[in-house]
PDB file of all heavy atoms in Angstrom:
ATOM      1  N   ILE H1324     -11.439  50.342 -75.884  1.00  0.00           N
ATOM      2  CA  ILE H1324     -12.308  51.372 -75.299  1.00  0.00           C
ATOM      3  C   ILE H1324     -13.720  51.166 -75.821  1.00  0.00           C
ATOM      4  O   ILE H1324     -13.937  51.138 -77.037  1.00  0.00           O
ATOM      5  CB  ILE H1324     -11.819  52.794 -75.640  1.00  0.00           C
ATOM      6  CG1 ILE H1324     -10.436  53.023 -75.032  1.00  0.00           C
ATOM      7  CG2 ILE H1324     -12.802  53.832 -75.096  1.00  0.00           C
ATOM      8  CD1 ILE H1324      -9.817  54.362 -75.400  1.00  0.00           C
ATOM      9  N   LEU H1325     -14.647  51.005 -74.894  1.00  0.00           N
ATOM     10  CA  LEU H1325     -16.059  50.866 -75.239  1.00  0.00           C
ATOM     11  C   LEU H1325     -16.743  52.191 -74.918  1.00  0.00           C
ATOM     12  O   LEU H1325     -16.514  52.777 -73.860  1.00  0.00           O
ATOM     13  CB  LEU H1325     -16.695  49.729 -74.429  1.00  0.00           C
ATOM     14  CG  LEU H1325     -15.951  48.391 -74.480  1.00  0.00           C
ATOM     15  CD1 LEU H1325     -16.727  47.333 -73.688  1.00  0.00           C
ATOM     16  CD2 LEU H1325     -15.691  47.932 -75.893  1.00  0.00           C
ATOM     17  N   ARG H1326     -17.600  52.618 -75.843  1.00  0.00           N
ATOM     18  CA  ARG H1326     -18.184  53.950 -75.711  1.00  0.00           C
ATOM     19  C   ARG H1326     -19.692  53.884 -75.497  1.00  0.00           C
ATOM     20  O   ARG H1326     -20.377  53.014 -76.033  1.00  0.00           O
ATOM     21  CB  ARG H1326     -17.873  54.778 -76.949  1.00  0.00           C
ATOM     22  CG  ARG H1326     -16.387  54.910 -77.200  1.00  0.00           C
ATOM     23  CD  ARG H1326     -16.056  55.728 -78.424  1.00  0.00           C
ATOM     24  NE  ARG H1326     -14.649  55.575 -78.764  1.00  0.00           N
ATOM     25  CZ  ARG H1326     -13.644  56.198 -78.149  1.00  0.00           C
ATOM     26  NH1 ARG H1326     -13.910  57.057 -77.173  1.00  0.00           N
ATOM     27  NH2 ARG H1326     -12.392  55.984 -78.504  1.00  0.00           N
ATOM     28  N   CYS H1327     -20.166  54.860 -74.760  1.00  0.00           N
ATOM     29  CA  CYS H1327     -21.583  54.929 -74.405  1.00  0.00           C
ATOM     30  C   CYS H1327     -22.010  56.393 -74.405  1.00  0.00           C
ATOM     31  O   CYS H1327     -21.249  57.262 -73.963  1.00  0.00           O
ATOM     32  CB  CYS H1327     -21.788  54.309 -73.014  1.00  0.00           C
ATOM     33  SG  CYS H1327     -23.402  54.565 -72.280  1.00  0.00           S
ATOM     34  N   VAL H1328     -23.212  56.641 -74.913  1.00  0.00           N
ATOM     35  CA  VAL H1328     -23.824  57.955 -74.754  1.00  0.00           C
ATOM     36  C   VAL H1328     -25.080  57.744 -73.915  1.00  0.00           C
ATOM     37  O   VAL H1328     -26.076  57.199 -74.402  1.00  0.00           O
ATOM     38  CB  VAL H1328     -24.177  58.608 -76.095  1.00  0.00           C
ATOM     39  CG1 VAL H1328     -24.835  59.966 -75.861  1.00  0.00           C
ATOM     40  CG2 VAL H1328     -22.924  58.771 -76.948  1.00  0.00           C
ATOM     41  N   PRO H1329     -25.047  58.130 -72.635  1.00  0.00           N
ATOM     42  CA  PRO H1329     -26.224  57.941 -71.780  1.00  0.00           C
ATOM     43  C   PRO H1329     -27.357  58.885 -72.192  1.00  0.00           C
ATOM     44  O   PRO H1329     -27.165  59.797 -72.999  1.00  0.00           O
ATOM     45  CB  PRO H1329     -25.691  58.312 -70.387  1.00  0.00           C
ATOM     46  CG  PRO H1329     -24.209  58.287 -70.495  1.00  0.00           C
ATOM     47  CD  PRO H1329     -23.897  58.660 -71.906  1.00  0.00           C
ATOM     48  N   ILE H1330     -28.521  58.679 -71.627  1.00  0.00           N
ATOM     49  CA  ILE H1330     -29.655  59.562 -71.856  1.00  0.00           C
ATOM     50  C   ILE H1330     -29.303  60.935 -71.285  1.00  0.00           C
ATOM     51  O   ILE H1330     -28.753  61.040 -70.175  1.00  0.00           O
ATOM     52  CB  ILE H1330     -30.933  58.975 -71.230  1.00  0.00           C
ATOM     53  CG1 ILE H1330     -31.279  57.676 -71.964  1.00  0.00           C
ATOM     54  CG2 ILE H1330     -32.089  59.965 -71.297  1.00  0.00           C
ATOM     55  CD1 ILE H1330     -32.411  56.878 -71.348  1.00  0.00           C
ATOM     56  N   SER H1331     -29.637  61.985 -72.017  1.00  0.00           N
ATOM     57  CA  SER H1331     -29.021  63.302 -71.780  1.00  0.00           C
ATOM     58  C   SER H1331     -29.261  63.892 -70.390  1.00  0.00           C
ATOM     59  O   SER H1331     -28.385  64.540 -69.850  1.00  0.00           O
ATOM     60  CB  SER H1331     -29.475  64.291 -72.850  1.00  0.00           C
ATOM     61  OG  SER H1331     -30.876  64.459 -72.787  1.00  0.00           O
ATOM     62  N   ASN H1332     -30.398  63.707 -69.779  1.00  0.00           N
ATOM     63  CA  ASN H1332     -30.637  64.328 -68.476  1.00  0.00           C
ATOM     64  C   ASN H1332     -30.333  63.384 -67.312  1.00  0.00           C
ATOM     65  O   ASN H1332     -30.640  63.694 -66.161  1.00  0.00           O
ATOM     66  CB  ASN H1332     -32.071  64.826 -68.373  1.00  0.00           C
ATOM     67  CG  ASN H1332     -33.080  63.695 -68.497  1.00  0.00           C
ATOM     68  OD1 ASN H1332     -32.801  62.670 -69.113  1.00  0.00           O
ATOM     69  ND2 ASN H1332     -34.245  63.860 -67.909  1.00  0.00           N
ATOM     70  N   HIS H1333     -29.729  62.249 -67.615  1.00  0.00           N
ATOM     71  CA  HIS H1333     -29.412  61.288 -66.553  1.00  0.00           C
ATOM     72  C   HIS H1333     -28.114  61.660 -65.848  1.00  0.00           C
ATOM     73  O   HIS H1333     -27.216  62.271 -66.435  1.00  0.00           O
ATOM     74  CB  HIS H1333     -29.330  59.866 -67.125  1.00  0.00           C
ATOM     75  CG  HIS H1333     -30.674  59.290 -67.420  1.00  0.00           C
ATOM     76  ND1 HIS H1333     -30.839  57.967 -67.790  1.00  0.00           N
ATOM     77  CD2 HIS H1333     -31.912  59.824 -67.378  1.00  0.00           C
ATOM     78  CE1 HIS H1333     -32.132  57.739 -67.965  1.00  0.00           C
ATOM     79  NE2 HIS H1333     -32.794  58.844 -67.730  1.00  0.00           N
ATOM     80  N   LEU H1334     -28.052  61.295 -64.577  1.00  0.00           N
ATOM     81  CA  LEU H1334     -26.938  61.705 -63.733  1.00  0.00           C
ATOM     82  C   LEU H1334     -26.050  60.543 -63.302  1.00  0.00           C
ATOM     83  O   LEU H1334     -24.925  60.746 -62.872  1.00  0.00           O
ATOM     84  CB  LEU H1334     -27.486  62.398 -62.469  1.00  0.00           C
ATOM     85  CG  LEU H1334     -28.381  63.606 -62.711  1.00  0.00           C
ATOM     86  CD1 LEU H1334     -28.941  64.100 -61.383  1.00  0.00           C
ATOM     87  CD2 LEU H1334     -27.614  64.730 -63.404  1.00  0.00           C
ATOM     88  N   TYR H1335     -26.592  59.326 -63.378  1.00  0.00           N
ATOM     89  CA  TYR H1335     -25.878  58.157 -62.875  1.00  0.00           C
ATOM     90  C   TYR H1335     -25.591  57.240 -64.054  1.00  0.00           C
ATOM     91  O   TYR H1335     -26.471  56.975 -64.875  1.00  0.00           O
ATOM     92  CB  TYR H1335     -26.722  57.416 -61.833  1.00  0.00           C
ATOM     93  CG  TYR H1335     -27.048  58.253 -60.618  1.00  0.00           C
ATOM     94  CD1 TYR H1335     -28.142  59.111 -60.617  1.00  0.00           C
ATOM     95  CD2 TYR H1335     -26.261  58.182 -59.480  1.00  0.00           C
ATOM     96  CE1 TYR H1335     -28.432  59.890 -59.509  1.00  0.00           C
ATOM     97  CE2 TYR H1335     -26.549  58.947 -58.361  1.00  0.00           C
ATOM     98  CZ  TYR H1335     -27.636  59.801 -58.385  1.00  0.00           C
ATOM     99  OH  TYR H1335     -27.925  60.563 -57.291  1.00  0.00           O
TER     100      TYR H1335
END
Side-chain angles (χ1 to χ4, degrees):
Chain H
I1324 297 176
L1325 308 183
R1326 302 180 192 281
C1327 169
V1328 179
I1330 295 172
S1331 62
N1332 62 334
H1333 285 188
L1334 303 175
Y1335 299 85

